């Protein structure tokens, strides 16, 4: 056990995975989680702190009190609120982008203009301010008249829900009205981005950045729709797998180039980018095009990426925070294995769902070979674990190949219930087709 304590900010499945990975480091003694969840509460050498992940002042105070050697930020909200800047001012190393750099995620209008300025490949688009409603409607009508379809996005942070995918002109005009007139996403819709609909497979391509270099992680794919065969409403993500076979070696070179150019361009803008740079790419017939950037790890992609990381996450994160990745970790190494994660959600999610359901079978699931259950929406209540969110758990399987990784993940899932043993299992919802594309693609290529 090492001599450094660390603080992980956030309370979801992503943060449980980050905390577990940091604890593996020979240099880390103890991991504090603010606020953490029922999973981090039960882990050895981990302690939850009663500080909300958006309470910048409280987080800095906790980091100073606990004398931590690194703060590792999970979600976007504290980054956009300037947590990294506050930690810097207090002399605490913090892994994540500054408020100015996090603008890449906080404002889609800023990021699209940035893509255009630096010639980063993306869909054709136009930004509209709240007062430009008539102009926005006319732009949509002109696009459809020219035979193009559009996507309508609220520019600000809308918890991943601010992207509307209309099926026709009427729906597209309704989407513009929903954001600009009905203000469905509040202030996040003060500016709207209307962009050309891209066709292809989506791929999550993340990199560790120290402000100078983008060290790309394994490509991942996640499943956004709640039901099998990509049906039903969008969610935060119902499962993921890595490495995603859709990113062929030649496409990977192109994506790596875009990520590196982005880090260099951000430095030129005076917005030095440190932390995780997460590019959502659409793999189109014209090559990989940027959909958007996020300024932190994806969830549930983290639950497949970090288990496959062979390098020491603490060393990588600290080196990034201090702007010295290449000097200290010249090559970030990855295991030659595959990982898949399946999200167990409360039935009803992403709509209304019950909370406080009992959780059974975790020990059995965790004892399946190659399986780790990460907690998202769980909490300890009167000595037992109950559900406290829509996405409750992410069950990750790791193996030497994809088929086995998926099989292990589902073996784990099948041990878990949110209903008392004996009766039927009706309160847990998961997708049964996570990773199907990857298996089909690998079968076709072999």
């Amino acid at each position: 056990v090492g001599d450094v304590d660390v603080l992980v900010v956030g309370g979801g499945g992503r943060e449980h995975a980050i905390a577990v990975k940091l604890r593996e480091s020979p240099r880390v003694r103890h991991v504090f989680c603010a606020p953490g969840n029922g999973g981090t509460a039960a882990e050895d050498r981990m302690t939850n702190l009663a500080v909300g992940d958006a309470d910048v002042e409280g987080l800095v105070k906790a980091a100073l009190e606990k004398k931590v050697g690194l703060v590792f930020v999970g979600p976007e909200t504290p980054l956009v609120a300037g947590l990294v800047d506050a930690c810097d001012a207090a002399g605490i190393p913090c892994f994540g982008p500054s408020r100015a750099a996090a603008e890449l995620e906080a404002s889609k209008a800023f990021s699209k203009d940035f893509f255009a300025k630096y010639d980063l490949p993306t869909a054709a688009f136009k930004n509209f301010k709240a007062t430009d409603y008539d102009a926005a409607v006319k732009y949509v009508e002109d696009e459809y008249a020219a035979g193009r379809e559009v996507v309508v996005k609220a520019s600000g942070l809308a918890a991943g829900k601010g992207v509307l995918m209309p099926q026709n002109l009427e729906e597209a005009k309704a989407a513009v009205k929903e954001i600009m007139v009905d203000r469905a996403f509040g202030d996040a819709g003060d500016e709207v981005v209307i962009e050309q609909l891209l066709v292809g497979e989506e791929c999550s391509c993340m990199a560790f950045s120290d402000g100078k270099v983008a060290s790309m992680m394994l490509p991942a794919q996640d499943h956004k729709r709640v039901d099998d065969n990509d049906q039903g409403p969008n969610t935060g993500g119902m499962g993921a797998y890595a490495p995603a076979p859709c990113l062929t070696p030649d496409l990977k070179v192109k994506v790596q180039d875009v990520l590196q150019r982005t880090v260099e361009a951000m430095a030129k803008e005076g917005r030095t980018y440190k932390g995780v740079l997460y590019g959502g790419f659409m793999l189109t017939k014209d090559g990989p095009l940027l959909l958007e950037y996020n300024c932190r790890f994806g969830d549930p992609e983290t639950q497949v990426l970090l288990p496959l990381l062979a390098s020491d996450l603490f060393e990588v994160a600290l080196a990034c925070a201090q702007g010295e990745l290449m000097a200290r970790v010249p090559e970030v190494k990855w295991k030659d294995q595959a990982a898949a994660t399946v999200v167990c959600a409360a039935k009803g999610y992403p709509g209304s769902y019950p909370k406080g359901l009992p959780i059974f079978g975790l020990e059995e699931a965790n004892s399946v070979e190659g399986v780790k259950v990460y907690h998202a929406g769980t909490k300890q209540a009167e000595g037992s674990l109950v559900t406290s969110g829509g996405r409750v758990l992410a069950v990750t399987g790791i193996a030497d190949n994809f088929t086995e990784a998926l099989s292990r993940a589902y073996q784990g899932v099948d041990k878990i219930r949110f209903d008392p043993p004996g009766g039927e299992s009706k309160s847990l919802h998961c997708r049964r087709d996570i990773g199907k594309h990857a298996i089909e693609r690998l079968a076709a290529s072999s």
Side-chain angles (χ1 to χ4, degrees):
V1 175
D3 53 359
V4 183
D5 296 340
V6 297
L7 173 62
V8 174
V9 176
R14 160 181 56 206
E15 288 76 25
H16 189 187
I18 289 166
V20 166
K21 196 67 185 183
L22 286 169
R23 189 182 57 185
E24 281 178 19
S25 168
R27 289 194 56 197
V28 170
R29 178 173 56 196
H30 199 87
V31 182
F32 294 100
C33 301
N37 59 37
T40 53
E43 295 272 6
D44 288 341
R45 291 170 38 217
M46 268 184 220
T47 307
N48 288 354
L49 303 176
V51 184
D53 62 16
D55 178 3
V56 170
E57 207 176 307
L59 291 165
V60 172
K61 191 166 158 254
L64 289 168
E65 272 173 15
K66 301 293 183 194
K67 300 188 171 64
V68 300
L70 176 71
V71 174
F72 195 119
V73 189
E76 62 277 8
T77 309
L79 293 166
V80 173
L83 177 57
V84 173
D85 311 71
C87 284
D88 280 352
I92 308 161
C94 185
F95 178 74
S98 65
R99 179 191 300 213
E103 190 82 359
L104 257 191
E105 174 168 3
S107 167
K108 291 190 169 70
F110 165 80
S111 66
K112 293 293 288 197
D113 287 339
F114 171 81
F115 297 168
K117 179 175 176 181
Y118 289 99
D119 205 21
L120 298 167
T122 191
F125 73 98
K126 199 159 182 187
N127 297 334
F128 296 91
K129 296 264 196 290
T131 49
D132 303 337
Y133 174 67
D134 294 337
V137 171
K138 178 156 188 348
Y139 180 77
V140 167
E141 289 172 341
D142 292 349
E143 284 294 284
Y144 277 83
R148 290 187 290 268
E149 293 182 62
V150 302
V151 180
V152 183
K153 301 180 174 183
S155 174
L157 290 181
K161 308 211 168 48
V163 176
L164 303 178
M165 312 271 292
Q167 300 292 319
N168 53 44
L169 172 60
E170 288 317 306
E171 283 187 20
K173 293 201 296 198
V176 172
K177 179 174 178 290
E178 192 179 326
I179 297 177
M180 300 184 84
V181 179
D182 307 340
R183 298 191 60 75
F185 303 104
D187 296 347
D190 283 350
E191 202 164 353
V192 172
V193 179
I194 300 176
E195 67 178 33
Q196 177 192 351
L197 175 72
L198 297 178
V199 179
E201 266 196 85
E202 211 176 315
C203 190
S204 302
C205 303
M206 297 176 216
F208 290 111
S209 172
D210 65 352
K212 302 185 276 283
V213 173
S215 171
M216 191 171 156
M217 305 185 205
L218 300 173
Q221 268 187 311
D222 76 340
H223 299 256
K224 284 281 183 234
R225 302 276 181 165
V226 73
D227 295 322
D228 286 10
N229 302 314
D230 297 326
Q231 298 298 304
N234 265 338
T235 68
M238 292 299 294
Y241 53 89
C246 61
L247 198 75
T248 57
D250 55 326
L251 289 176
K252 189 178 170 188
V253 172
K254 291 177 178 167
V255 166
Q256 174 77 55
D257 173 62
V258 172
L259 294 169
Q260 180 60 36
R261 280 166 51 205
T262 301
V263 171
E264 289 167 12
M266 287 294 277
K268 213 176 270 177
E269 290 282 314
R271 299 172 184 259
T272 302
Y273 196 99
K274 297 175 179 177
V276 173
L277 180 64
Y278 165 0
F281 285 84
M282 188 68 88
L283 308 179
T284 73
K285 58 180 187 344
D286 305 318
L289 298 185
L290 268 170
L291 292 167
E292 62 182 11
Y293 273 125
N294 293 319
C295 60
R296 34 73 196 177
F297 266 116
D299 186 341
E301 293 97 331
T302 308
Q303 292 91 302
V304 289
L305 289 171
L306 289 185
L308 294 173
L309 177 64
S311 293
D312 181 329
L313 180 62
F314 172 79
E315 297 286 7
V316 170
L318 186 64
C320 286
Q322 297 177 333
E324 299 180 344
L325 183 62
M326 286 301 105
R328 293 202 228 150
V329 190
E331 190 196 351
V332 178
K333 294 193 166 65
W334 297 87
K335 298 173 187 171
D336 188 17
Q337 287 183 297
T341 198
V342 179
V343 169
C344 298
K347 208 173 218 115
Y349 171 80
S352 60
Y353 51 85
K355 291 182 180 173
L357 300 168
I359 302 172
F360 300 96
L362 286 177
E363 238 173 273
E364 294 81 347
N366 273 318
S367 62
V368 175
E369 191 188 350
V371 167
K372 170 77 181 170
V373 181
Y374 296 106
H375 293 236
T378 70
K379 66 175 188 187
Q380 298 282 346
E382 291 151 26
S384 68
L385 199 71
V386 298
T387 71
S388 64
R391 292 194 295 174
V392 180
L393 305 164
V395 182
T396 298
I398 295 201
D400 290 338
N401 63 67
F402 250 126
T403 313
E404 186 57 28
L406 274 166
S407 157
R408 286 176 174 183
Y410 277 112
Q411 279 172 53
V413 168
D414 290 338
K415 306 261 190 258
I416 298 168
R417 318 164 47 96
F418 301 158
D419 298 290
E424 59 170 324
S425 174
K426 54 183 187 299
S427 303
L428 184 156
H429 171 72
C430 72
R431 281 185 55 164
R432 304 301 306 189
D433 64 345
I434 300 301
K436 200 175 78 173
H437 288 315
I439 300 282
E440 287 166 359
R441 184 182 287 275
L442 290 164
S445 64
S446 63

